Amino acid sequence: MTISRLVFAAALLVPRAQAWVARTTLKMAATSSGEDTATIIPPYLPPLKNRYFALRHGLSTANVAGIISSLPAVGTTNHGLTDEGRAQARGSAQDIVDAVGAKNIQRLVVISSDFTRARETAEEAVAGLAALGHFPPKALPEVRTLEALRERWFGDLDGEDVATYNDVWPLDLEDATHESFGVESVTSVAGRLRGMFLQLEEELEGDAGPVPVLLTSHADTLQIMQLYVARADLRFFSQYRFKNGEVRALGESPDTLPEAMPLSRDKSRI
């Protein structure tokens, strides 16, 4: 086997190993407490002292090609934004201001998945905020990347047509811990997000009140995040689809969620 093939094989194993550890830990905890492993999630977050906002990446070359791009070795180096995606990302700037509030926008902390399409979206959104006059050119917020915000790993379906999402989401509705097709379970995604929030809550503290934090990521990751923060049933995350370049505030109760939309096999909604 060539070195390049060994590297590729190792890259495939990393997300699977992380998902296995998270799933095993959750199921052990559920078994010891007598809870239903189909719905078990990481412990809910404590009340958040900061304010969090979610931004889905703009239209990417993978979106245009209609393929699933979840392998870190590929997603962090390829599948960046299209021209339309860059325009969507820049256009999100006003939505960010509206959500955060003009008086707080200069305190904004910007954090992104390290996948190319998400990082470029965060950078374009910051440029859009500068163009609106909210930041001096030399005082733009730095885009920080975190692996916890990466795309959900889709296992054997990685690189396949996006229509195969519809083979996974109905199973998610039944069991948030399943790993059919080698996918990362919903509870595993929630587990890594929990760690991120606890880390940020410890790191970020402002004398002027809650720190506004923009989290730039991917549809499944953001939808799971939104329901986890809202203390809602994670199995239904797929009914709260983010559009490319969409901004949402993350509330801490189910009544803050947008209206749910039933699953559809329409590719335009993926």
Side-chain angles (χ1 to χ4, degrees):
M1 182 179 287
T2 65
I3 292 177
S4 61
R5 287 181 178 271
L6 284 170
V7 171
F8 183 76
L12 281 171
L13 289 173
V14 169
R16 292 190 182 189
Q18 292 174 337
W20 180 87
V21 170
R23 184 186 86 255
T24 302
T25 301
L26 286 167
K27 288 195 173 183
M28 287 175 64
T31 301
S32 63
S33 63
E35 295 181 76
D36 178 8
T37 58
T39 59
I40 184 66
I41 62 170
Y44 285 125
L45 292 166
L48 299 173
K49 65 184 180 184
N50 297 309
R51 298 175 64 213
Y52 294 90
F53 305 86
L55 168 63
R56 184 189 176 192
H57 65 79
L59 187 72
S60 70
T61 57
N63 291 146
V64 173
I67 59 172
I68 296 175
S69 176
S70 64
L71 181 65
V74 176
T76 58
T77 56
N78 292 289
H79 296 152
L81 296 181
T82 63
D83 289 343
E84 181 180 352
R86 290 186 179 278
Q88 290 171 335
R90 284 210 175 214
S92 72
Q94 186 58 58
D95 293 333
I96 295 169
V97 174
D98 293 342
V100 173
K103 66 179 182 180
N104 293 315
I105 197 66
Q106 290 195 5
R107 302 174 59 233
L108 185 68
V109 173
V110 182
I111 304 176
S112 173
S113 158
D114 60 351
F115 274 37
T116 306
R117 55 191 183 270
R119 176 177 47 78
E120 290 180 349
T121 296
E123 292 168 350
E124 290 288 351
V126 168
L129 290 170
L132 291 174
H134 290 288
F135 291 97
K138 295 184 179 181
L140 295 177
E142 180 181 354
V143 175
R144 172 184 174 186
T145 60
L146 289 178
E147 293 183 4
L149 288 170
R150 283 178 171 176
E151 177 67 277
R152 179 187 185 187
W153 168 239
F154 270 84
D156 298 336
L157 303 181
D158 184 73
E160 297 295 324
D161 191 284
V162 293
T164 57
Y165 282 135
N166 291 302
D167 295 327
V168 176
W169 292 335
L171 299 178
D172 293 332
L173 288 170
E174 299 174 4
D175 181 1
T177 69
H178 88 86
E179 291 183 320
S180 302
F181 308 104
V183 303
E184 182 181 11
S185 72
V186 174
T187 51
S188 176
V189 176
R192 58 177 159 102
L193 293 173
R194 172 181 170 79
M196 178 198 70
F197 278 110
L198 294 178
Q199 175 187 343
L200 294 177
E201 286 289 281
E202 185 176 345
E203 290 181 4
L204 302 175
E205 188 169 1
D207 296 332
V211 177
V213 183
L214 180 68
L215 303 170
T216 307
S217 187
H218 313 266
D220 272 30
T221 304
L222 290 177
Q223 288 152 206
I224 294 169
M225 177 195 299
Q226 184 172 40
L227 267 66
Y228 178 56
V229 172
R231 297 171 172 249
D233 191 332
L234 297 184
R235 292 177 299 174
F236 297 96
F237 79 90
S238 56
Q239 299 187 2
Y240 297 88
R241 200 75 187 154
F242 271 75
K243 298 177 182 178
N244 291 112
E246 183 177 356
V247 178
R248 291 182 194 170
L250 300 180
E252 295 183 70
S253 64
D255 61 6
T256 64
L257 296 172
E259 183 179 356
M261 297 185 66
L263 285 178
S264 169
R265 291 188 175 271
D266 180 359
K267 285 190 180 183
S268 67
R269 288 181 51 192
I270 293 176

